[in-house]
Amino acid sequence: MASFLPSDVIKEVRARRRMARMAMQDVMSYSGMKEDAILSQLTILRAEKGRQNIRVDNFNKLMDTLDMSVDTFFIPCIENQTTELLQLYDTLTCYTTYAKEDTIFRQKGLDLLSEMKENDNFSQGINRQILISQEVVLMETLGKDPAEIRRLIKEGLSITYPELVEDPITGDMLIFEEGPLLHNMARTYMREDNTSYAIALLGDIFTGLTLLPQDDKDKERMYAPMLLTMAQCYIQEKNYDEALDTCDAGHKIALKRNNGFYVPDFAELKVYCLHATGATGELSQLIPQAIAGYVLLRRHNKADGLLQYAQEHGISINTHGIETVRPPMPQPIYTHGKVIACDSIGGLISQLKYDAELTLQKLCDGLCTTGTLSKIEGMRYPLDKVYLLEAIMQRLGRHINHYFNTFISFEDFENKQLRDEINISLVNGEYPEAKELLEKLIKNVNEAKKKDTIAMTKKKRYYYNIITQFIEMAKASLYCEENGYTAVHIAMLHDVINLTREKELDIGLVARTRLTYRELLAVNQMANSLCGMGKMREGLRLFEDLLESMNRYYVDEHEKIRMYTTVQYNYSTWLGREGRHKESLELAIIGDEMDVKHCRLQTLPNFAVNRACGMLSLGDKENCLPFFALAYYGSGLLGRQKNISVIKSYVKEHLGVDF
């Protein structure tokens, strides 16, 4: 799901309706609005330019005037969603992701697609567009005629944008499945060897996606596969310099925004470019890295194809047996909490609260006042506080992006961008960059507090606490990186957790406490610090409790996975250091399978390390080397130099093998 600035939404929808600002003013007048409720064309202009913060009631008026209600635009991407619909959609997307390289998954995707076509819930509206988007991918894997695929794509686009013309689309903001559909249209031209037009169309799509907030996850989900197609077009044209530049850009985005799923693909394309230009010096390392990435993700056909390419062209590589590791692909069965169709964001939150058997007080505890939550449920409160909406959904065990789009206030827009960039920098170990970005965020928040005349009221105190919690959590992460595991670090984490709790959290009750993502993150780091300080029993117990809490309350797997396998990896690591190798190995295998199911390459090399160490400690010296190699080359693919050095030294010392 996407986040939008109201100014962009008004401007885009008005452009789609071909309606002048004066006409909007006239429609309000004709509809019988009181004169003081009618928005002038000047007000509309200021709102579109971002020079005026538009109130939610006025936003509703403008959207109604444009015949695009707020609920239509911001309520779920899957209309009238139920648990069954979400599970069907998740399973189908998994099949289509692997369909290009796995005939079994392709057939399963085709079978499920046929079943979903018979489901009335997918017969019209946005649901129909979603289904068409997946069908288009499957049609390409079957080698269907590009012109036939384009006809289907245009049918899908007409659902949300009947005014859209294919050439040109520059300047159009792309929402729902419009981006992926147009991307696949570009691929049809690539298949017809019209690569110049395909590249131009991809450029237009990128322009359309830039009109979404820069940190939008939905946009970034689309970026990497489109860059992959663009690189393929350049290779088809034998324009290897442009292809290499595109691969480098795609690698960076895939690494940061897509959990690394497409990173091996960009590495493979880079291999072809370097080999074609005679720059073969990197290939002995790059090819094993790409193969390792594919094997870790269970994309075995891609791994075999690249290995065969190296053999056919006489490229000397040493894989240390990584191609012999053939774990099966986990079944794509996803867990979702109960969902029923709702007609508003407030109604959805109210229903989820009821299903979770929570009172107003228990749900909003430490996040907002009961009055604020009541207004949110009744759609009487501005729904532009993404911090608050995210935290509420997390406490319900749900992933906000799975249920509805959001719009965001002007004052929060830059902060949201900074927050996401800080997250990414911390995850990737780019600590100087994270520190610099954090200083900008702190400055923004402090300036906002000075301007806010009611900053000390209860309502605002809650709001700033949520933002402050993010800041203090980032500070704690940076402190730990510089100073290691200390009592000061644990104290910092206690303070972080209690920023969003009315009463101080009893760490002994974590297993039966609903925790937001930031709170989970803090408890995880606390467990790490306890173990690192030698308080192994307390730390390991906290890991157990944290996993139990997520199993109990995070009813949506897509939200739980954000922290669950990270906790499993840390727990597995400390169990191994404690000499509990069998338990460590079991946790590593479970975590590995969960990350594979969710296409998360980022943590898979870490699980490979723990599996290898567990196997070695349990006496399976013969079979552990390929897993060490997977960890070594996988870490190299992700650019983790520290991990590479540690693994190389460990394997040299214990197995006598020099990577």
Side-chain angles (χ1 to χ4, degrees), residues 572 575-576 579-589 609-624 628 650 654-655:
S572 169
L575 282 171
R580 295 162 63 176
H581 302 297
K582 185 177 181 181
E583 296 169 80
S584 173
L585 181 58
E586 289 172 353
L587 268 178
I589 292 172
V609 168
N610 284 9
R611 291 182 71 169
C613 289
M615 293 165 70
L616 179 62
S617 299
L618 292 171
D620 192 1
K621 188 174 182 179
E622 181 180 349
N623 295 315
C624 70
F628 277 120
Y650 189 89
H654 291 85
L655 297 177

PDB file of all heavy atoms in Angstrom, residues 572 575-576 579-589 609-624 628 650 654-655:
ATOM      1  N   SER A 572      19.253 -17.880  18.235  1.00  0.00           N
ATOM      2  CA  SER A 572      20.044 -19.010  17.749  1.00  0.00           C
ATOM      3  C   SER A 572      21.540 -18.779  17.984  1.00  0.00           C
ATOM      4  O   SER A 572      22.268 -19.688  18.401  1.00  0.00           O
ATOM      5  CB  SER A 572      19.768 -19.207  16.252  1.00  0.00           C
ATOM      6  OG  SER A 572      20.677 -20.112  15.675  1.00  0.00           O
ATOM      7  N   LEU A 575      22.372 -19.118  21.724  1.00  0.00           N
ATOM      8  CA  LEU A 575      22.272 -20.528  22.119  1.00  0.00           C
ATOM      9  C   LEU A 575      23.527 -21.284  21.686  1.00  0.00           C
ATOM     10  O   LEU A 575      24.053 -22.121  22.433  1.00  0.00           O
ATOM     11  CB  LEU A 575      21.033 -21.174  21.489  1.00  0.00           C
ATOM     12  CG  LEU A 575      19.681 -20.867  22.138  1.00  0.00           C
ATOM     13  CD1 LEU A 575      18.547 -21.405  21.270  1.00  0.00           C
ATOM     14  CD2 LEU A 575      19.590 -21.468  23.541  1.00  0.00           C
ATOM     15  N   GLY A 576      24.005 -20.987  20.485  1.00  0.00           N
ATOM     16  CA  GLY A 576      25.231 -21.630  20.007  1.00  0.00           C
ATOM     17  C   GLY A 576      26.425 -21.279  20.870  1.00  0.00           C
ATOM     18  O   GLY A 576      27.250 -22.145  21.198  1.00  0.00           O
ATOM     19  N   GLY A 579      26.642 -23.216  23.902  1.00  0.00           N
ATOM     20  CA  GLY A 579      26.900 -24.643  23.742  1.00  0.00           C
ATOM     21  C   GLY A 579      25.652 -25.463  23.489  1.00  0.00           C
ATOM     22  O   GLY A 579      25.726 -26.700  23.431  1.00  0.00           O
ATOM     23  N   ARG A 580      24.522 -24.829  23.300  1.00  0.00           N
ATOM     24  CA  ARG A 580      23.258 -25.540  23.045  1.00  0.00           C
ATOM     25  C   ARG A 580      23.070 -25.617  21.523  1.00  0.00           C
ATOM     26  O   ARG A 580      22.183 -25.027  20.926  1.00  0.00           O
ATOM     27  CB  ARG A 580      22.104 -24.821  23.731  1.00  0.00           C
ATOM     28  CG  ARG A 580      22.236 -24.860  25.261  1.00  0.00           C
ATOM     29  CD  ARG A 580      21.382 -23.830  25.962  1.00  0.00           C
ATOM     30  NE  ARG A 580      19.955 -24.018  25.764  1.00  0.00           N
ATOM     31  CZ  ARG A 580      19.009 -23.276  26.351  1.00  0.00           C
ATOM     32  NH1 ARG A 580      19.376 -22.303  27.199  1.00  0.00           N
ATOM     33  NH2 ARG A 580      17.742 -23.495  26.119  1.00  0.00           N
ATOM     34  N   HIS A 581      23.941 -26.422  20.881  1.00  0.00           N
ATOM     35  CA  HIS A 581      24.064 -26.405  19.429  1.00  0.00           C
ATOM     36  C   HIS A 581      22.845 -27.008  18.723  1.00  0.00           C
ATOM     37  O   HIS A 581      22.455 -26.529  17.656  1.00  0.00           O
ATOM     38  CB  HIS A 581      25.332 -27.144  19.007  1.00  0.00           C
ATOM     39  CG  HIS A 581      26.574 -26.579  19.609  1.00  0.00           C
ATOM     40  ND1 HIS A 581      27.011 -25.290  19.351  1.00  0.00           N
ATOM     41  CD2 HIS A 581      27.477 -27.114  20.491  1.00  0.00           C
ATOM     42  CE1 HIS A 581      28.123 -25.060  20.015  1.00  0.00           C
ATOM     43  NE2 HIS A 581      28.422 -26.145  20.718  1.00  0.00           N
ATOM     44  N   LYS A 582      22.253 -28.019  19.271  1.00  0.00           N
ATOM     45  CA  LYS A 582      21.094 -28.638  18.624  1.00  0.00           C
ATOM     46  C   LYS A 582      19.927 -27.661  18.561  1.00  0.00           C
ATOM     47  O   LYS A 582      19.272 -27.517  17.524  1.00  0.00           O
ATOM     48  CB  LYS A 582      20.687 -29.908  19.377  1.00  0.00           C
ATOM     49  CG  LYS A 582      19.573 -30.678  18.686  1.00  0.00           C
ATOM     50  CD  LYS A 582      19.254 -31.969  19.415  1.00  0.00           C
ATOM     51  CE  LYS A 582      18.146 -32.729  18.698  1.00  0.00           C
ATOM     52  NZ  LYS A 582      17.788 -33.988  19.410  1.00  0.00           N
ATOM     53  N   GLU A 583      19.672 -26.962  19.680  1.00  0.00           N
ATOM     54  CA  GLU A 583      18.587 -25.977  19.709  1.00  0.00           C
ATOM     55  C   GLU A 583      18.886 -24.818  18.765  1.00  0.00           C
ATOM     56  O   GLU A 583      17.997 -24.311  18.068  1.00  0.00           O
ATOM     57  CB  GLU A 583      18.393 -25.447  21.130  1.00  0.00           C
ATOM     58  CG  GLU A 583      17.938 -26.487  22.132  1.00  0.00           C
ATOM     59  CD  GLU A 583      18.016 -25.957  23.555  1.00  0.00           C
ATOM     60  OE1 GLU A 583      17.088 -25.224  23.958  1.00  0.00           O
ATOM     61  OE2 GLU A 583      19.017 -26.253  24.238  1.00  0.00           O
ATOM     62  N   SER A 584      20.145 -24.410  18.747  1.00  0.00           N
ATOM     63  CA  SER A 584      20.555 -23.320  17.866  1.00  0.00           C
ATOM     64  C   SER A 584      20.313 -23.681  16.410  1.00  0.00           C
ATOM     65  O   SER A 584      19.799 -22.867  15.624  1.00  0.00           O
ATOM     66  CB  SER A 584      22.040 -23.002  18.080  1.00  0.00           C
ATOM     67  OG  SER A 584      22.506 -22.069  17.133  1.00  0.00           O
ATOM     68  N   LEU A 585      20.680 -24.911  16.041  1.00  0.00           N
ATOM     69  CA  LEU A 585      20.514 -25.375  14.671  1.00  0.00           C
ATOM     70  C   LEU A 585      19.036 -25.441  14.289  1.00  0.00           C
ATOM     71  O   LEU A 585      18.643 -25.026  13.187  1.00  0.00           O
ATOM     72  CB  LEU A 585      21.174 -26.748  14.504  1.00  0.00           C
ATOM     73  CG  LEU A 585      21.128 -27.377  13.116  1.00  0.00           C
ATOM     74  CD1 LEU A 585      21.781 -26.459  12.093  1.00  0.00           C
ATOM     75  CD2 LEU A 585      21.819 -28.745  13.130  1.00  0.00           C
ATOM     76  N   GLU A 586      18.217 -25.927  15.185  1.00  0.00           N
ATOM     77  CA  GLU A 586      16.772 -26.033  14.909  1.00  0.00           C
ATOM     78  C   GLU A 586      16.157 -24.658  14.666  1.00  0.00           C
ATOM     79  O   GLU A 586      15.355 -24.480  13.744  1.00  0.00           O
ATOM     80  CB  GLU A 586      16.069 -26.737  16.081  1.00  0.00           C
ATOM     81  CG  GLU A 586      16.383 -28.221  16.184  1.00  0.00           C
ATOM     82  CD  GLU A 586      15.823 -28.843  17.460  1.00  0.00           C
ATOM     83  OE1 GLU A 586      15.315 -28.072  18.315  1.00  0.00           O
ATOM     84  OE2 GLU A 586      15.889 -30.081  17.605  1.00  0.00           O
ATOM     85  N   LEU A 587      16.530 -23.680  15.489  1.00  0.00           N
ATOM     86  CA  LEU A 587      16.013 -22.318  15.318  1.00  0.00           C
ATOM     87  C   LEU A 587      16.489 -21.713  13.998  1.00  0.00           C
ATOM     88  O   LEU A 587      15.724 -21.018  13.312  1.00  0.00           O
ATOM     89  CB  LEU A 587      16.466 -21.426  16.472  1.00  0.00           C
ATOM     90  CG  LEU A 587      15.551 -21.305  17.688  1.00  0.00           C
ATOM     91  CD1 LEU A 587      16.212 -20.426  18.737  1.00  0.00           C
ATOM     92  CD2 LEU A 587      14.197 -20.724  17.301  1.00  0.00           C
ATOM     93  N   ALA A 588      17.733 -21.975  13.638  1.00  0.00           N
ATOM     94  CA  ALA A 588      18.279 -21.425  12.398  1.00  0.00           C
ATOM     95  C   ALA A 588      17.542 -21.980  11.189  1.00  0.00           C
ATOM     96  O   ALA A 588      17.254 -21.249  10.231  1.00  0.00           O
ATOM     97  CB  ALA A 588      19.770 -21.734  12.297  1.00  0.00           C
ATOM     98  N   ILE A 589      17.202 -23.247  11.219  1.00  0.00           N
ATOM     99  CA  ILE A 589      16.477 -23.870  10.101  1.00  0.00           C
ATOM    100  C   ILE A 589      15.074 -23.280   9.972  1.00  0.00           C
ATOM    101  O   ILE A 589      14.616 -22.951   8.877  1.00  0.00           O
ATOM    102  CB  ILE A 589      16.412 -25.403  10.290  1.00  0.00           C
ATOM    103  CG1 ILE A 589      17.816 -26.002  10.139  1.00  0.00           C
ATOM    104  CG2 ILE A 589      15.450 -26.036   9.290  1.00  0.00           C
ATOM    105  CD1 ILE A 589      17.897 -27.474  10.499  1.00  0.00           C
ATOM    106  N   VAL A 609      25.290 -19.192   8.457  1.00  0.00           N
ATOM    107  CA  VAL A 609      26.414 -19.247   9.403  1.00  0.00           C
ATOM    108  C   VAL A 609      26.043 -20.087  10.616  1.00  0.00           C
ATOM    109  O   VAL A 609      26.798 -20.975  11.043  1.00  0.00           O
ATOM    110  CB  VAL A 609      26.822 -17.830   9.858  1.00  0.00           C
ATOM    111  CG1 VAL A 609      27.787 -17.921  11.042  1.00  0.00           C
ATOM    112  CG2 VAL A 609      27.479 -17.067   8.738  1.00  0.00           C
ATOM    113  N   ASN A 610      24.881 -19.793  11.196  1.00  0.00           N
ATOM    114  CA  ASN A 610      24.472 -20.520  12.401  1.00  0.00           C
ATOM    115  C   ASN A 610      24.240 -22.000  12.117  1.00  0.00           C
ATOM    116  O   ASN A 610      24.546 -22.863  12.956  1.00  0.00           O
ATOM    117  CB  ASN A 610      23.211 -19.890  12.980  1.00  0.00           C
ATOM    118  CG  ASN A 610      23.503 -18.590  13.707  1.00  0.00           C
ATOM    119  OD1 ASN A 610      24.613 -18.073  13.635  1.00  0.00           O
ATOM    120  ND2 ASN A 610      22.524 -18.043  14.407  1.00  0.00           N
ATOM    121  N   ARG A 611      23.698 -22.295  10.936  1.00  0.00           N
ATOM    122  CA  ARG A 611      23.507 -23.703  10.573  1.00  0.00           C
ATOM    123  C   ARG A 611      24.862 -24.393  10.430  1.00  0.00           C
ATOM    124  O   ARG A 611      25.057 -25.519  10.916  1.00  0.00           O
ATOM    125  CB  ARG A 611      22.716 -23.809   9.269  1.00  0.00           C
ATOM    126  CG  ARG A 611      21.275 -23.377   9.394  1.00  0.00           C
ATOM    127  CD  ARG A 611      20.509 -23.549   8.093  1.00  0.00           C
ATOM    128  NE  ARG A 611      20.274 -24.956   7.786  1.00  0.00           N
ATOM    129  CZ  ARG A 611      19.454 -25.376   6.830  1.00  0.00           C
ATOM    130  NH1 ARG A 611      18.810 -24.497   6.080  1.00  0.00           N
ATOM    131  NH2 ARG A 611      19.270 -26.666   6.613  1.00  0.00           N
ATOM    132  N   ALA A 612      25.796 -23.726   9.774  1.00  0.00           N
ATOM    133  CA  ALA A 612      27.123 -24.315   9.570  1.00  0.00           C
ATOM    134  C   ALA A 612      27.838 -24.545  10.891  1.00  0.00           C
ATOM    135  O   ALA A 612      28.423 -25.613  11.120  1.00  0.00           O
ATOM    136  CB  ALA A 612      27.951 -23.401   8.664  1.00  0.00           C
ATOM    137  N   CYS A 613      27.778 -23.546  11.779  1.00  0.00           N
ATOM    138  CA  CYS A 613      28.435 -23.680  13.094  1.00  0.00           C
ATOM    139  C   CYS A 613      27.788 -24.791  13.912  1.00  0.00           C
ATOM    140  O   CYS A 613      28.479 -25.569  14.589  1.00  0.00           O
ATOM    141  CB  CYS A 613      28.364 -22.356  13.857  1.00  0.00           C
ATOM    142  SG  CYS A 613      29.428 -21.066  13.186  1.00  0.00           S
ATOM    143  N   GLY A 614      26.464 -24.883  13.840  1.00  0.00           N
ATOM    144  CA  GLY A 614      25.765 -25.937  14.562  1.00  0.00           C
ATOM    145  C   GLY A 614      26.138 -27.310  14.054  1.00  0.00           C
ATOM    146  O   GLY A 614      26.386 -28.242  14.836  1.00  0.00           O
ATOM    147  N   MET A 615      26.197 -27.451  12.738  1.00  0.00           N
ATOM    148  CA  MET A 615      26.566 -28.740  12.138  1.00  0.00           C
ATOM    149  C   MET A 615      27.996 -29.122  12.512  1.00  0.00           C
ATOM    150  O   MET A 615      28.272 -30.280  12.852  1.00  0.00           O
ATOM    151  CB  MET A 615      26.412 -28.650  10.617  1.00  0.00           C
ATOM    152  CG  MET A 615      24.974 -28.486  10.147  1.00  0.00           C
ATOM    153  SD  MET A 615      24.839 -27.960   8.418  1.00  0.00           S
ATOM    154  CE  MET A 615      25.378 -29.434   7.568  1.00  0.00           C
ATOM    155  N   LEU A 616      28.901 -28.157  12.464  1.00  0.00           N
ATOM    156  CA  LEU A 616      30.298 -28.423  12.814  1.00  0.00           C
ATOM    157  C   LEU A 616      30.418 -28.849  14.272  1.00  0.00           C
ATOM    158  O   LEU A 616      31.126 -29.818  14.596  1.00  0.00           O
ATOM    159  CB  LEU A 616      31.142 -27.175  12.549  1.00  0.00           C
ATOM    160  CG  LEU A 616      32.637 -27.271  12.875  1.00  0.00           C
ATOM    161  CD1 LEU A 616      33.306 -28.342  12.020  1.00  0.00           C
ATOM    162  CD2 LEU A 616      33.321 -25.924  12.656  1.00  0.00           C
ATOM    163  N   SER A 617      29.727 -28.153  15.160  1.00  0.00           N
ATOM    164  CA  SER A 617      29.803 -28.457  16.595  1.00  0.00           C
ATOM    165  C   SER A 617      29.179 -29.798  16.927  1.00  0.00           C
ATOM    166  O   SER A 617      29.566 -30.449  17.912  1.00  0.00           O
ATOM    167  CB  SER A 617      29.100 -27.352  17.395  1.00  0.00           C
ATOM    168  OG  SER A 617      29.729 -26.103  17.186  1.00  0.00           O
ATOM    169  N   LEU A 618      28.214 -30.238  16.103  1.00  0.00           N
ATOM    170  CA  LEU A 618      27.568 -31.531  16.326  1.00  0.00           C
ATOM    171  C   LEU A 618      28.268 -32.666  15.579  1.00  0.00           C
ATOM    172  O   LEU A 618      27.773 -33.790  15.528  1.00  0.00           O
ATOM    173  CB  LEU A 618      26.095 -31.458  15.900  1.00  0.00           C
ATOM    174  CG  LEU A 618      25.205 -30.555  16.776  1.00  0.00           C
ATOM    175  CD1 LEU A 618      23.831 -30.367  16.142  1.00  0.00           C
ATOM    176  CD2 LEU A 618      25.063 -31.140  18.184  1.00  0.00           C
ATOM    177  N   GLY A 619      29.419 -32.345  14.967  1.00  0.00           N
ATOM    178  CA  GLY A 619      30.247 -33.381  14.350  1.00  0.00           C
ATOM    179  C   GLY A 619      30.032 -33.597  12.868  1.00  0.00           C
ATOM    180  O   GLY A 619      30.643 -34.492  12.276  1.00  0.00           O
ATOM    181  N   ASP A 620      29.160 -32.803  12.243  1.00  0.00           N
ATOM    182  CA  ASP A 620      28.902 -32.975  10.808  1.00  0.00           C
ATOM    183  C   ASP A 620      29.859 -32.098  10.005  1.00  0.00           C
ATOM    184  O   ASP A 620      29.451 -31.189   9.265  1.00  0.00           O
ATOM    185  CB  ASP A 620      27.447 -32.612  10.502  1.00  0.00           C
ATOM    186  CG  ASP A 620      27.036 -33.049   9.101  1.00  0.00           C
ATOM    187  OD1 ASP A 620      27.866 -33.638   8.391  1.00  0.00           O
ATOM    188  OD2 ASP A 620      25.866 -32.782   8.720  1.00  0.00           O
ATOM    189  N   LYS A 621      31.145 -32.411  10.132  1.00  0.00           N
ATOM    190  CA  LYS A 621      32.184 -31.602   9.502  1.00  0.00           C
ATOM    191  C   LYS A 621      32.120 -31.687   7.977  1.00  0.00           C
ATOM    192  O   LYS A 621      32.383 -30.709   7.266  1.00  0.00           O
ATOM    193  CB  LYS A 621      33.548 -32.053  10.003  1.00  0.00           C
ATOM    194  CG  LYS A 621      34.706 -31.168   9.570  1.00  0.00           C
ATOM    195  CD  LYS A 621      36.002 -31.624  10.243  1.00  0.00           C
ATOM    196  CE  LYS A 621      37.165 -30.710   9.858  1.00  0.00           C
ATOM    197  NZ  LYS A 621      38.430 -31.129  10.531  1.00  0.00           N
ATOM    198  N   GLU A 622      31.719 -32.834   7.474  1.00  0.00           N
ATOM    199  CA  GLU A 622      31.720 -33.057   6.024  1.00  0.00           C
ATOM    200  C   GLU A 622      30.714 -32.170   5.300  1.00  0.00           C
ATOM    201  O   GLU A 622      30.987 -31.671   4.209  1.00  0.00           O
ATOM    202  CB  GLU A 622      31.408 -34.534   5.738  1.00  0.00           C
ATOM    203  CG  GLU A 622      31.403 -34.874   4.264  1.00  0.00           C
ATOM    204  CD  GLU A 622      31.099 -36.349   4.024  1.00  0.00           C
ATOM    205  OE1 GLU A 622      31.100 -37.130   5.005  1.00  0.00           O
ATOM    206  OE2 GLU A 622      30.862 -36.710   2.860  1.00  0.00           O
ATOM    207  N   ASN A 623      29.521 -31.954   5.891  1.00  0.00           N
ATOM    208  CA  ASN A 623      28.444 -31.249   5.196  1.00  0.00           C
ATOM    209  C   ASN A 623      28.315 -29.773   5.555  1.00  0.00           C
ATOM    210  O   ASN A 623      27.472 -29.070   4.984  1.00  0.00           O
ATOM    211  CB  ASN A 623      27.104 -31.944   5.487  1.00  0.00           C
ATOM    212  CG  ASN A 623      27.049 -33.347   4.909  1.00  0.00           C
ATOM    213  OD1 ASN A 623      27.433 -33.564   3.767  1.00  0.00           O
ATOM    214  ND2 ASN A 623      26.592 -34.298   5.714  1.00  0.00           N
ATOM    215  N   CYS A 624      29.145 -29.303   6.493  1.00  0.00           N
ATOM    216  CA  CYS A 624      28.971 -27.918   6.931  1.00  0.00           C
ATOM    217  C   CYS A 624      29.646 -26.911   6.002  1.00  0.00           C
ATOM    218  O   CYS A 624      29.251 -25.741   5.963  1.00  0.00           O
ATOM    219  CB  CYS A 624      29.474 -27.737   8.362  1.00  0.00           C
ATOM    220  SG  CYS A 624      31.274 -27.846   8.542  1.00  0.00           S
ATOM    221  N   PHE A 628      28.882 -22.806   5.129  1.00  0.00           N
ATOM    222  CA  PHE A 628      29.829 -21.709   5.375  1.00  0.00           C
ATOM    223  C   PHE A 628      30.058 -20.915   4.082  1.00  0.00           C
ATOM    224  O   PHE A 628      30.149 -19.677   4.109  1.00  0.00           O
ATOM    225  CB  PHE A 628      31.165 -22.248   5.888  1.00  0.00           C
ATOM    226  CG  PHE A 628      31.201 -22.517   7.364  1.00  0.00           C
ATOM    227  CD1 PHE A 628      31.455 -23.794   7.851  1.00  0.00           C
ATOM    228  CD2 PHE A 628      30.990 -21.491   8.286  1.00  0.00           C
ATOM    229  CE1 PHE A 628      31.507 -24.040   9.222  1.00  0.00           C
ATOM    230  CE2 PHE A 628      31.033 -21.731   9.652  1.00  0.00           C
ATOM    231  CZ  PHE A 628      31.287 -23.003  10.117  1.00  0.00           C
ATOM    232  N   TYR A 650      37.346 -17.970  10.355  1.00  0.00           N
ATOM    233  CA  TYR A 650      36.794 -19.107  11.108  1.00  0.00           C
ATOM    234  C   TYR A 650      36.945 -20.403  10.316  1.00  0.00           C
ATOM    235  O   TYR A 650      37.362 -21.438  10.851  1.00  0.00           O
ATOM    236  CB  TYR A 650      35.319 -18.845  11.419  1.00  0.00           C
ATOM    237  CG  TYR A 650      34.704 -19.845  12.367  1.00  0.00           C
ATOM    238  CD1 TYR A 650      34.755 -19.646  13.741  1.00  0.00           C
ATOM    239  CD2 TYR A 650      34.075 -20.986  11.889  1.00  0.00           C
ATOM    240  CE1 TYR A 650      34.178 -20.566  14.617  1.00  0.00           C
ATOM    241  CE2 TYR A 650      33.509 -21.907  12.745  1.00  0.00           C
ATOM    242  CZ  TYR A 650      33.561 -21.699  14.108  1.00  0.00           C
ATOM    243  OH  TYR A 650      32.999 -22.610  14.975  1.00  0.00           O
ATOM    244  N   HIS A 654      39.134 -23.695  11.424  1.00  0.00           N
ATOM    245  CA  HIS A 654      38.458 -24.931  11.834  1.00  0.00           C
ATOM    246  C   HIS A 654      38.379 -25.995  10.742  1.00  0.00           C
ATOM    247  O   HIS A 654      38.240 -27.189  11.048  1.00  0.00           O
ATOM    248  CB  HIS A 654      37.049 -24.618  12.333  1.00  0.00           C
ATOM    249  CG  HIS A 654      37.016 -23.870  13.621  1.00  0.00           C
ATOM    250  ND1 HIS A 654      37.117 -22.498  13.703  1.00  0.00           N
ATOM    251  CD2 HIS A 654      36.903 -24.308  14.910  1.00  0.00           C
ATOM    252  CE1 HIS A 654      37.064 -22.114  14.961  1.00  0.00           C
ATOM    253  NE2 HIS A 654      36.941 -23.184  15.719  1.00  0.00           N
ATOM    254  N   LEU A 655      38.433 -25.573   9.462  1.00  0.00           N
ATOM    255  CA  LEU A 655      38.322 -26.553   8.378  1.00  0.00           C
ATOM    256  C   LEU A 655      39.540 -26.573   7.466  1.00  0.00           C
ATOM    257  O   LEU A 655      39.656 -27.445   6.601  1.00  0.00           O
ATOM    258  CB  LEU A 655      37.060 -26.264   7.540  1.00  0.00           C
ATOM    259  CG  LEU A 655      35.714 -26.393   8.262  1.00  0.00           C
ATOM    260  CD1 LEU A 655      34.576 -25.992   7.320  1.00  0.00           C
ATOM    261  CD2 LEU A 655      35.494 -27.810   8.769  1.00  0.00           C
TER     262      LEU A 655
END
